Amino acid sequence: MGLFITFEGIEGCGKTTQIDLLKKYFEAKGRDVLSLREPGGTELGEKVRGILLNSSSEPIDAQAELFLYEACRAQLVSRIIRPALSEGKVVISDRFIDSTVAYQGYGRGLDIGSVSLMNAFATGGLIPAVTFLLDCEPEVGLKRAWERIDASTGPREDRFEKENIIFHKKVREGYLSLSRAEPRIRVVNASGEIPSIHGEICDIINKMREFDRKSDIK
Ligand code: T5A
């Protein structure tokens, strides 16, 4: 039976780092793990990622941005995530539906109800079994994100990092508001050391014994 886990948070909160560690943790237990990122994970998704994250492209209307994220997600869910869950894999996604509520809803100011409806339409109602919200001050995350971008030799994906601090604070508040409404969202303090954050995530997973039995495929 498959298990669907997502990681969320502001820029540079440490999702990629923690996903790599959690993947190894599950693999050591003999589980087949697929890790993905949004936007991306499919040929279409990776092409659209270039449009969405590169700040040299023309300004993107907030509603157009919403549709692009949902298009990537629909493709990823139907072609990759659902088949992998059907095969019994652990699927770990770097961002999913909550990013769209936090960024396009709370950050850009689009209607939250409409964003949620779009999420449901794109995913066919697929909801993660658990979501780790790595929470830290935007100043902490942005400093890390810029250091990572400056050290990277790949495409310069800095369109969101260039948003002002008020935008990032709205996104963070959006995430925290979501976490109060959704019990599946577990808030983890992301300001600490990498190994202790990983330990906390593993503790949460181990306490949720139903993970061994439950299928979250809808
Ligand atoms: N977006 C996405 C939307 O607007 N709507 C949507 O629906 C979706 C799906 C994605 C962008 O798209 C937006 C949100 C985003 O702006 P991205 O490049 O995937 O863009 O950006 P992020 O997901 O934010 O990726 P980052 O790489 O910036 O952040 P991560 O993955 O959270 O952080 P990570 O692990 O790469 O760490 C960053 C740096 O910090 C260090 C790492 O070594 C690395 O150098 N680090 C730590 N340092 C100190 N202490 C710790 N605890 C550390 N953890 C990591």
Side-chain angles (χ1 to χ4, degrees):
M1 284 188 279
L3 173 61
F4 186 29
I5 300 171
T6 58
F7 277 72
E8 297 281 358
I10 59 164
E11 331 294 315
C13 64
K15 296 177 279 72
T16 312
T17 305
Q18 292 300 327
I19 288 170
D20 289 347
L21 292 171
L22 188 60
K23 184 170 190 276
K24 289 186 186 123
Y25 175 82
F26 275 115
E27 285 171 346
K29 288 178 175 289
R31 295 293 301 258
D32 198 353
V33 184
L34 178 67
S35 63
L36 304 162
R37 67 174 181 180
E38 275 211 19
T42 63
E43 196 182 328
L44 179 137
E46 291 296 328
K47 281 184 184 158
V48 177
R49 181 181 175 94
I51 298 168
L52 280 166
L53 302 190
N54 189 327
S55 59
S56 65
S57 54
E58 71 173 320
I60 303 174
D61 174 81
Q63 273 146 311
E65 185 182 74
L66 171 66
F67 278 89
L68 288 173
Y69 279 112
E70 299 294 4
C72 293
R73 182 165 301 137
Q75 184 81 351
L76 186 67
V77 167
S78 69
R79 297 191 65 89
I80 310 285
I81 298 179
R82 283 190 186 276
L85 291 173
S86 298
E87 289 166 13
K89 292 183 181 165
V90 176
V91 178
I92 309 177
S93 185
D94 188 339
R95 301 192 178 280
F96 195 58
I97 47 175
D98 305 309
S99 282
T100 323
V101 177
Y103 281 80
Q104 279 63 54
Y106 287 90
R108 300 278 191 233
L110 294 182
D111 176 66
I112 305 289
S114 303
V115 173
S116 301
L117 279 176
M118 293 280 293
N119 275 342
F121 188 58
T123 61
L126 181 70
I127 307 258
V130 65
T131 297
F132 292 104
L133 170 56
L134 303 188
D135 178 59
C136 65
E137 295 284 345
E139 290 83 353
V140 172
L142 283 171
K143 181 170 179 291
R144 291 180 193 161
W146 277 115
E147 282 168 5
R148 192 216 4 100
I149 290 167
D150 289 340
S152 165
T153 52
R156 200 168 167 87
E157 297 178 331
D158 59 2
R159 195 167 71 88
F160 280 86
E161 283 78 2
K162 284 184 171 169
E163 291 286 343
N164 65 34
I165 195 76
I166 295 165
F167 175 84
H168 294 287
K169 285 183 190 288
K170 282 190 211 164
V171 171
R172 183 190 184 202
E173 284 311 312
Y175 271 128
L176 290 172
S177 169
L178 265 174
S179 75
R180 290 189 283 273
E182 298 269 0
R184 78 175 153 83
I185 302 180
R186 309 297 298 264
V187 182
V188 175
N189 181 350
S191 320
E193 298 292 318
I194 292 169
S196 70
I197 297 168
H198 174 58
E200 190 176 337
I201 288 168
C202 293
D203 282 350
I204 292 171
I205 291 216
N206 287 328
K207 282 182 189 140
M208 301 177 80
R209 292 179 188 280
E210 69 269 28
F211 278 7
D212 289 334
R213 310 188 290 273
K214 189 172 133 192
S215 168
D216 41 273
I217 303 169
K218 300 249 159 81

